Amino acid sequence: MSASPDWLFFRSALLAWYRPERRPMPWKAHPDPYCIWLSEIILQQTRVEQGLPYYERFVEAYPTVGDLAAAEDAAVMKLWEGLGYYSRARNLLKAARYVVAQYGGEFPATYEGLLTLPGVGPYTAAAIASFAFGAQVAVLDGNVFRILARFANDATPADTGPGRKHFGALASAALGDAAAPLYNQAIMDFGALVCTPRKPACPSCPLRTHCRGYALATWPELPGKTKKMARRTRYFHYLVITDRAGNTIVQQRLEKDIWQELFQFPLIETAQAGGQVTDLVHHPDWPGWLPAGELRLEKSSPPYQQQLTHQTIEAVFHTFTWEQMPKKISGYALIKNKMFIKFAFPRVITRFLADKRLLLDLFS
């Protein structure tokens, strides 16, 4: 059996490398649990470059957790628009309201207390607890899994319950008696700047002399994984139906699927790409309230694609005019074109709306 990794060297070299100015973030400047929590939720599965403008807009719109708790759901979803993984936005509101209702507007100061908040898992709870309250707990996310696995040459699958528990023990051993706020920030920056997923800076890495994954050239395969989810492609046909008065039909996605609670045009999902509008009329999902004979097709768009984690969405937009559109349709909303900016749509729809090829001026 090989000797245990030298965790004393690991944390000493890591802390000697760390410089806060290498990766400046606005939430690093002060230990406000609200700002730290907000940043961590926004940055889940999101690059810092993409998430930072959203963080700044949220702090400006809702300076405190009480302000966020009092916000309208639609306003928060609209502010989140384009960031993806919209369950985070829903949990953001739930957690803010829970903090106000259960904790009087003050975030719980313990790791265990933070875990009671909707959308807060072990990593986020550890980050808030250490950065805001100085708790001696190690963060453990994808970056940390990768760094620890490579340093220890540990191929334990990180995507299982036992694997996460195993790496939790390694993370605690690596932290040791180092100050958790400083150490956690250092290891997060190290994963972003040095021990990156595909092209790590091994030649200049301060851990290289003791890194077993580097010495054995096993780092590309680490950490180990047991699951590989297949990617699938879904084919969406959106019916963009408008009348001469400038009304357009939209609906809210309420089913438990992608983009829950976002808005869209009436949708028909087909099993294959392509197809004509005349085929859609006979599709079982064609809305029963929509008389095909009264519609005039203006244009069908080329396919728009949006990549999700395990899905590719290919969407085609069919623009129609309907002279005798009813004033009310059950389950749908008729909105003026200029009101589109108040609704949160999936990114594939916002791209279509912003496209200069669109016949209708939906933003006027």
Short mmCIF file of all heavy atoms in Angstrom, two decimals, residues 206-253:
data_model
loop_
_atom_site.label_atom_id
_atom_site.label_comp_id
_atom_site.label_asym_id
_atom_site.label_seq_id
_atom_site.Cartn_x
_atom_site.Cartn_y
_atom_site.Cartn_z
N PRO A 206 2.70 24.58 -8.44
CA PRO A 206 3.47 24.48 -7.20
C PRO A 206 3.31 23.14 -6.50
O PRO A 206 4.07 22.83 -5.59
CB PRO A 206 2.88 25.61 -6.35
CG PRO A 206 1.49 25.80 -6.86
CD PRO A 206 1.58 25.54 -8.33
N LEU A 207 2.36 22.31 -6.93
CA LEU A 207 2.15 20.99 -6.33
C LEU A 207 2.81 19.87 -7.13
O LEU A 207 2.75 18.71 -6.73
CB LEU A 207 0.64 20.71 -6.22
CG LEU A 207 -0.23 21.75 -5.53
CD1 LEU A 207 -1.68 21.28 -5.50
CD2 LEU A 207 0.26 22.02 -4.12
N ARG A 208 3.44 20.22 -8.25
CA ARG A 208 3.92 19.22 -9.20
C ARG A 208 4.86 18.20 -8.57
O ARG A 208 4.78 17.00 -8.88
CB ARG A 208 4.61 19.93 -10.37
CG ARG A 208 5.04 18.99 -11.48
CD ARG A 208 5.80 19.71 -12.59
NE ARG A 208 7.15 20.10 -12.15
CZ ARG A 208 7.54 21.35 -11.94
NH1 ARG A 208 6.68 22.35 -12.12
NH2 ARG A 208 8.77 21.62 -11.56
N THR A 209 5.74 18.61 -7.68
CA THR A 209 6.76 17.69 -7.14
C THR A 209 6.16 16.57 -6.32
O THR A 209 6.79 15.52 -6.14
CB THR A 209 7.77 18.46 -6.27
OG1 THR A 209 7.06 19.12 -5.21
CG2 THR A 209 8.53 19.48 -7.11
N HIS A 210 4.94 16.79 -5.79
CA HIS A 210 4.29 15.76 -4.96
C HIS A 210 3.00 15.24 -5.60
O HIS A 210 2.28 14.46 -4.97
CB HIS A 210 3.97 16.32 -3.58
CG HIS A 210 5.17 16.54 -2.72
ND1 HIS A 210 6.19 17.41 -3.05
CD2 HIS A 210 5.52 16.00 -1.51
CE1 HIS A 210 7.11 17.41 -2.10
NE2 HIS A 210 6.74 16.57 -1.14
N CYS A 211 2.72 15.65 -6.82
CA CYS A 211 1.46 15.26 -7.47
C CYS A 211 1.63 13.89 -8.13
O CYS A 211 2.38 13.74 -9.09
CB CYS A 211 1.05 16.30 -8.51
SG CYS A 211 -0.47 15.88 -9.39
N ARG A 212 0.92 12.90 -7.64
CA ARG A 212 1.06 11.54 -8.16
C ARG A 212 0.43 11.41 -9.54
O ARG A 212 0.90 10.63 -10.37
CB ARG A 212 0.42 10.56 -7.19
CG ARG A 212 1.11 10.53 -5.82
CD ARG A 212 0.39 9.63 -4.85
NE ARG A 212 1.07 9.59 -3.56
CZ ARG A 212 0.62 8.92 -2.50
NH1 ARG A 212 -0.51 8.22 -2.59
NH2 ARG A 212 1.29 8.94 -1.36
N GLY A 213 -0.66 12.13 -9.77
CA GLY A 213 -1.29 12.09 -11.10
C GLY A 213 -0.37 12.62 -12.17
O GLY A 213 -0.34 12.11 -13.30
N TYR A 214 0.43 13.63 -11.83
CA TYR A 214 1.41 14.18 -12.78
C TYR A 214 2.55 13.19 -12.99
O TYR A 214 2.97 12.92 -14.12
CB TYR A 214 1.93 15.51 -12.26
CG TYR A 214 3.05 16.08 -13.10
CD1 TYR A 214 2.80 16.65 -14.35
CD2 TYR A 214 4.38 16.04 -12.65
CE1 TYR A 214 3.83 17.18 -15.13
CE2 TYR A 214 5.41 16.57 -13.41
CZ TYR A 214 5.13 17.13 -14.65
OH TYR A 214 6.16 17.64 -15.41
N ALA A 215 3.05 12.63 -11.89
CA ALA A 215 4.20 11.72 -11.98
C ALA A 215 3.87 10.47 -12.79
O ALA A 215 4.71 9.97 -13.54
CB ALA A 215 4.65 11.33 -10.58
N LEU A 216 2.64 9.98 -12.66
CA LEU A 216 2.24 8.75 -13.34
C LEU A 216 1.49 9.00 -14.63
O LEU A 216 1.05 8.05 -15.30
CB LEU A 216 1.39 7.91 -12.39
CG LEU A 216 2.09 7.46 -11.10
CD1 LEU A 216 1.09 6.81 -10.14
CD2 LEU A 216 3.22 6.50 -11.42
N ALA A 217 1.32 10.28 -14.99
CA ALA A 217 0.62 10.67 -16.22
C ALA A 217 -0.81 10.14 -16.28
O ALA A 217 -1.35 9.83 -17.35
CB ALA A 217 1.40 10.21 -17.45
N THR A 218 -1.45 10.05 -15.11
CA THR A 218 -2.84 9.57 -15.05
C THR A 218 -3.84 10.71 -14.92
O THR A 218 -5.05 10.47 -14.91
CB THR A 218 -3.01 8.63 -13.85
OG1 THR A 218 -2.60 9.32 -12.65
CG2 THR A 218 -2.19 7.36 -14.01
N TRP A 219 -3.34 11.95 -14.83
CA TRP A 219 -4.24 13.07 -14.54
C TRP A 219 -5.38 13.24 -15.54
O TRP A 219 -6.48 13.67 -15.16
CB TRP A 219 -3.45 14.37 -14.41
CG TRP A 219 -2.74 14.81 -15.66
CD1 TRP A 219 -1.45 14.59 -16.01
CD2 TRP A 219 -3.32 15.55 -16.74
NE1 TRP A 219 -1.16 15.13 -17.23
CE2 TRP A 219 -2.30 15.73 -17.71
CE3 TRP A 219 -4.58 16.08 -16.99
CZ2 TRP A 219 -2.52 16.41 -18.90
CZ3 TRP A 219 -4.80 16.76 -18.19
CH2 TRP A 219 -3.77 16.92 -19.12
N PRO A 220 -5.23 12.90 -16.85
CA PRO A 220 -6.36 13.13 -17.77
C PRO A 220 -7.60 12.29 -17.43
O PRO A 220 -8.71 12.66 -17.80
CB PRO A 220 -5.79 12.74 -19.13
CG PRO A 220 -4.31 12.89 -19.00
CD PRO A 220 -4.03 12.46 -17.60
N GLU A 221 -7.39 11.15 -16.73
CA GLU A 221 -8.52 10.27 -16.44
C GLU A 221 -9.13 10.53 -15.06
O GLU A 221 -10.06 9.83 -14.65
CB GLU A 221 -8.08 8.80 -16.49
CG GLU A 221 -7.77 8.29 -17.89
CD GLU A 221 -6.38 8.71 -18.36
OE1 GLU A 221 -5.45 8.69 -17.55
OE2 GLU A 221 -6.26 9.08 -19.55
N LEU A 222 -8.62 11.52 -14.35
CA LEU A 222 -9.06 11.75 -12.98
C LEU A 222 -9.86 13.04 -12.85
O LEU A 222 -9.55 14.02 -13.54
CB LEU A 222 -7.83 11.79 -12.05
CG LEU A 222 -7.00 10.51 -12.02
CD1 LEU A 222 -5.71 10.72 -11.24
CD2 LEU A 222 -7.81 9.37 -11.41
N PRO A 223 -10.88 13.04 -11.98
CA PRO A 223 -11.35 11.94 -11.13
C PRO A 223 -12.14 10.90 -11.93
O PRO A 223 -12.63 11.19 -13.02
CB PRO A 223 -12.25 12.64 -10.11
CG PRO A 223 -12.78 13.81 -10.85
CD PRO A 223 -11.66 14.27 -11.75
N GLY A 224 -12.26 9.71 -11.36
CA GLY A 224 -12.99 8.65 -12.02
C GLY A 224 -14.49 8.89 -12.00
O GLY A 224 -15.01 9.62 -11.15
N LYS A 225 -15.19 8.33 -12.98
CA LYS A 225 -16.64 8.45 -13.05
C LYS A 225 -17.24 7.11 -13.44
O LYS A 225 -16.63 6.33 -14.17
CB LYS A 225 -17.06 9.52 -14.06
CG LYS A 225 -16.72 10.93 -13.64
CD LYS A 225 -17.25 11.94 -14.64
CE LYS A 225 -16.94 13.37 -14.19
NZ LYS A 225 -17.47 14.38 -15.17
N THR A 226 -18.45 6.84 -12.96
CA THR A 226 -19.14 5.61 -13.32
C THR A 226 -20.26 5.86 -14.32
O THR A 226 -20.65 4.97 -15.04
CB THR A 226 -19.75 4.95 -12.07
OG1 THR A 226 -20.67 5.86 -11.45
CG2 THR A 226 -18.68 4.58 -11.08
N LYS A 227 -20.78 7.08 -14.33
CA LYS A 227 -21.95 7.37 -15.15
C LYS A 227 -21.57 8.23 -16.35
O LYS A 227 -20.77 9.14 -16.24
CB LYS A 227 -23.01 8.11 -14.33
CG LYS A 227 -23.44 7.38 -13.06
CD LYS A 227 -24.34 8.26 -12.23
CE LYS A 227 -24.67 7.62 -10.89
NZ LYS A 227 -25.45 8.51 -10.02
N LYS A 228 -22.18 7.93 -17.46
CA LYS A 228 -22.05 8.77 -18.64
C LYS A 228 -23.42 8.88 -19.29
O LYS A 228 -23.89 7.94 -19.93
CB LYS A 228 -21.03 8.20 -19.64
CG LYS A 228 -20.76 9.14 -20.80
CD LYS A 228 -19.67 8.61 -21.70
CE LYS A 228 -19.39 9.59 -22.83
NZ LYS A 228 -18.31 9.09 -23.72
N MET A 229 -24.06 10.01 -19.10
CA MET A 229 -25.41 10.19 -19.61
C MET A 229 -25.37 10.47 -21.10
O MET A 229 -24.56 11.25 -21.59
CB MET A 229 -26.11 11.34 -18.88
CG MET A 229 -26.35 11.06 -17.41
SD MET A 229 -27.35 12.34 -16.61
CE MET A 229 -28.92 12.11 -17.45
N ALA A 230 -26.25 9.81 -21.83
CA ALA A 230 -26.31 10.00 -23.27
C ALA A 230 -26.97 11.34 -23.59
O ALA A 230 -27.92 11.75 -22.93
CB ALA A 230 -27.10 8.86 -23.91
N ARG A 231 -26.45 12.00 -24.59
CA ARG A 231 -27.06 13.26 -25.05
C ARG A 231 -28.13 12.94 -26.07
O ARG A 231 -27.97 12.07 -26.92
CB ARG A 231 -25.99 14.16 -25.66
CG ARG A 231 -26.53 15.41 -26.32
CD ARG A 231 -25.44 16.30 -26.83
NE ARG A 231 -24.73 16.94 -25.73
CZ ARG A 231 -25.16 18.04 -25.12
NH1 ARG A 231 -26.30 18.60 -25.49
NH2 ARG A 231 -24.48 18.57 -24.14
N ARG A 232 -29.24 13.65 -26.01
CA ARG A 232 -30.30 13.47 -26.98
C ARG A 232 -30.65 14.81 -27.62
O ARG A 232 -30.39 15.87 -27.05
CB ARG A 232 -31.55 12.86 -26.34
CG ARG A 232 -32.20 13.72 -25.27
CD ARG A 232 -33.55 13.16 -24.88
NE ARG A 232 -34.16 13.88 -23.77
CZ ARG A 232 -35.46 14.00 -23.60
NH1 ARG A 232 -36.30 13.45 -24.46
NH2 ARG A 232 -35.95 14.65 -22.56
N THR A 233 -31.23 14.74 -28.81
CA THR A 233 -31.68 15.94 -29.50
C THR A 233 -33.19 15.95 -29.53
O THR A 233 -33.84 14.94 -29.82
CB THR A 233 -31.13 15.98 -30.94
OG1 THR A 233 -29.70 15.97 -30.90
CG2 THR A 233 -31.61 17.23 -31.67
N ARG A 234 -33.76 17.12 -29.20
CA ARG A 234 -35.21 17.30 -29.23
C ARG A 234 -35.54 18.35 -30.29
O ARG A 234 -34.81 19.33 -30.45
CB ARG A 234 -35.72 17.73 -27.86
CG ARG A 234 -35.46 16.69 -26.78
CD ARG A 234 -35.82 17.21 -25.39
NE ARG A 234 -37.26 17.39 -25.22
CZ ARG A 234 -37.81 17.81 -24.07
NH1 ARG A 234 -37.04 18.10 -23.02
NH2 ARG A 234 -39.12 17.96 -23.98
N TYR A 235 -36.67 18.14 -30.97
CA TYR A 235 -37.04 18.99 -32.09
C TYR A 235 -38.32 19.75 -31.74
O TYR A 235 -39.39 19.15 -31.57
CB TYR A 235 -37.23 18.14 -33.35
CG TYR A 235 -35.99 17.33 -33.68
CD1 TYR A 235 -35.89 15.99 -33.31
CD2 TYR A 235 -34.90 17.92 -34.32
CE1 TYR A 235 -34.74 15.26 -33.58
CE2 TYR A 235 -33.76 17.20 -34.60
CZ TYR A 235 -33.68 15.87 -34.22
OH TYR A 235 -32.53 15.15 -34.49
N PHE A 236 -38.18 21.06 -31.59
CA PHE A 236 -39.28 21.93 -31.20
C PHE A 236 -39.75 22.74 -32.40
O PHE A 236 -38.94 23.29 -33.16
CB PHE A 236 -38.84 22.90 -30.10
CG PHE A 236 -38.66 22.27 -28.73
CD1 PHE A 236 -38.74 20.91 -28.53
CD2 PHE A 236 -38.41 23.08 -27.62
CE1 PHE A 236 -38.56 20.34 -27.28
CE2 PHE A 236 -38.24 22.53 -26.36
CZ PHE A 236 -38.31 21.16 -26.19
N HIS A 237 -41.07 22.84 -32.54
CA HIS A 237 -41.68 23.73 -33.53
C HIS A 237 -42.55 24.72 -32.78
O HIS A 237 -43.54 24.35 -32.16
CB HIS A 237 -42.52 22.93 -34.53
CG HIS A 237 -41.72 22.05 -35.42
ND1 HIS A 237 -41.31 22.43 -36.68
CD2 HIS A 237 -41.22 20.79 -35.23
CE1 HIS A 237 -40.61 21.45 -37.23
NE2 HIS A 237 -40.54 20.45 -36.37
N TYR A 238 -42.15 25.99 -32.81
CA TYR A 238 -42.90 27.04 -32.13
C TYR A 238 -43.83 27.73 -33.12
O TYR A 238 -43.43 28.07 -34.24
CB TYR A 238 -41.96 28.07 -31.52
CG TYR A 238 -41.24 27.58 -30.28
CD1 TYR A 238 -39.86 27.35 -30.31
CD2 TYR A 238 -41.92 27.35 -29.09
CE1 TYR A 238 -39.19 26.91 -29.17
CE2 TYR A 238 -41.26 26.91 -27.96
CZ TYR A 238 -39.90 26.69 -28.00
OH TYR A 238 -39.26 26.26 -26.88
N LEU A 239 -45.08 27.94 -32.68
CA LEU A 239 -46.08 28.62 -33.49
C LEU A 239 -46.18 30.07 -33.01
O LEU A 239 -46.72 30.34 -31.93
CB LEU A 239 -47.43 27.92 -33.36
CG LEU A 239 -47.41 26.39 -33.56
CD1 LEU A 239 -48.81 25.81 -33.38
CD2 LEU A 239 -46.83 26.01 -34.92
N VAL A 240 -45.61 30.98 -33.78
CA VAL A 240 -45.60 32.39 -33.42
C VAL A 240 -46.82 33.03 -34.09
O VAL A 240 -46.79 33.36 -35.28
CB VAL A 240 -44.30 33.08 -33.88
CG1 VAL A 240 -44.23 34.51 -33.34
CG2 VAL A 240 -43.08 32.29 -33.40
N ILE A 241 -47.89 33.17 -33.34
CA ILE A 241 -49.19 33.58 -33.90
C ILE A 241 -49.50 34.99 -33.43
O ILE A 241 -49.55 35.26 -32.22
CB ILE A 241 -50.29 32.61 -33.45
CG1 ILE A 241 -49.89 31.17 -33.81
CG2 ILE A 241 -51.62 32.98 -34.08
CD1 ILE A 241 -50.73 30.12 -33.12
N THR A 242 -49.73 35.88 -34.37
CA THR A 242 -49.97 37.28 -34.03
C THR A 242 -51.14 37.81 -34.85
O THR A 242 -51.50 37.23 -35.89
CB THR A 242 -48.71 38.13 -34.28
OG1 THR A 242 -48.97 39.49 -33.95
CG2 THR A 242 -48.24 38.03 -35.70
N ASP A 243 -51.77 38.90 -34.38
CA ASP A 243 -52.83 39.53 -35.15
C ASP A 243 -52.43 40.95 -35.51
O ASP A 243 -51.35 41.43 -35.14
CB ASP A 243 -54.16 39.50 -34.38
CG ASP A 243 -54.12 40.29 -33.07
OD1 ASP A 243 -53.16 41.06 -32.86
OD2 ASP A 243 -55.05 40.14 -32.26
N ARG A 244 -53.29 41.64 -36.23
CA ARG A 244 -52.96 42.98 -36.70
C ARG A 244 -52.90 44.00 -35.57
O ARG A 244 -52.32 45.07 -35.72
CB ARG A 244 -53.97 43.42 -37.76
CG ARG A 244 -53.86 42.62 -39.05
CD ARG A 244 -54.66 43.25 -40.16
NE ARG A 244 -54.53 42.47 -41.40
CZ ARG A 244 -53.53 42.59 -42.25
NH1 ARG A 244 -52.55 43.45 -41.98
NH2 ARG A 244 -53.47 41.87 -43.35
N ALA A 245 -53.50 43.67 -34.43
CA ALA A 245 -53.48 44.59 -33.29
C ALA A 245 -52.18 44.48 -32.49
O ALA A 245 -52.00 45.19 -31.50
CB ALA A 245 -54.68 44.33 -32.39
N GLY A 246 -51.31 43.57 -32.90
CA GLY A 246 -50.03 43.44 -32.20
C GLY A 246 -50.08 42.50 -31.02
O GLY A 246 -49.25 42.59 -30.11
N ASN A 247 -51.03 41.57 -31.00
CA ASN A 247 -51.10 40.57 -29.94
C ASN A 247 -50.42 39.29 -30.39
O ASN A 247 -50.52 38.89 -31.56
CB ASN A 247 -52.56 40.26 -29.59
CG ASN A 247 -53.30 41.46 -29.06
OD1 ASN A 247 -52.88 42.06 -28.08
ND2 ASN A 247 -54.40 41.82 -29.72
N THR A 248 -49.74 38.64 -29.47
CA THR A 248 -49.07 37.37 -29.74
C THR A 248 -49.43 36.39 -28.63
O THR A 248 -49.57 36.77 -27.46
CB THR A 248 -47.55 37.55 -29.81
OG1 THR A 248 -47.23 38.53 -30.80
CG2 THR A 248 -46.86 36.24 -30.18
N ILE A 249 -49.57 35.12 -28.99
CA ILE A 249 -49.98 34.09 -28.04
C ILE A 249 -48.74 33.49 -27.39
O ILE A 249 -47.82 33.04 -28.08
CB ILE A 249 -50.79 32.99 -28.73
CG1 ILE A 249 -52.02 33.60 -29.43
CG2 ILE A 249 -51.22 31.92 -27.73
CD1 ILE A 249 -52.76 32.62 -30.31
N VAL A 250 -48.72 33.44 -26.05
CA VAL A 250 -47.64 32.77 -25.31
C VAL A 250 -48.26 31.92 -24.21
O VAL A 250 -49.43 32.08 -23.86
CB VAL A 250 -46.65 33.79 -24.69
CG1 VAL A 250 -45.96 34.61 -25.76
CG2 VAL A 250 -47.34 34.67 -23.67
N GLN A 251 -47.46 31.02 -23.69
CA GLN A 251 -47.88 30.19 -22.57
C GLN A 251 -46.70 29.99 -21.64
O GLN A 251 -45.54 30.17 -22.04
CB GLN A 251 -48.40 28.84 -23.06
CG GLN A 251 -47.33 27.97 -23.69
CD GLN A 251 -47.81 26.62 -24.16
OE1 GLN A 251 -47.40 26.13 -25.19
NE2 GLN A 251 -48.69 25.99 -23.41
N GLN A 252 -46.98 29.62 -20.40
CA GLN A 252 -45.93 29.35 -19.43
C GLN A 252 -45.70 27.85 -19.34
O GLN A 252 -46.66 27.07 -19.31
CB GLN A 252 -46.32 29.91 -18.05
CG GLN A 252 -45.19 29.93 -17.04
CD GLN A 252 -45.57 30.65 -15.76
OE1 GLN A 252 -46.74 30.74 -15.41
NE2 GLN A 252 -44.58 31.15 -15.06
N ARG A 253 -44.43 27.45 -19.32
CA ARG A 253 -44.09 26.04 -19.19
C ARG A 253 -44.23 25.62 -17.73
O ARG A 253 -43.45 26.05 -16.88
CB ARG A 253 -42.66 25.77 -19.67
CG ARG A 253 -42.45 25.96 -21.15
CD ARG A 253 -41.01 25.69 -21.54
NE ARG A 253 -40.60 24.31 -21.27
CZ ARG A 253 -40.71 23.31 -22.14
NH1 ARG A 253 -41.25 23.52 -23.33
NH2 ARG A 253 -40.30 22.11 -21.83
#
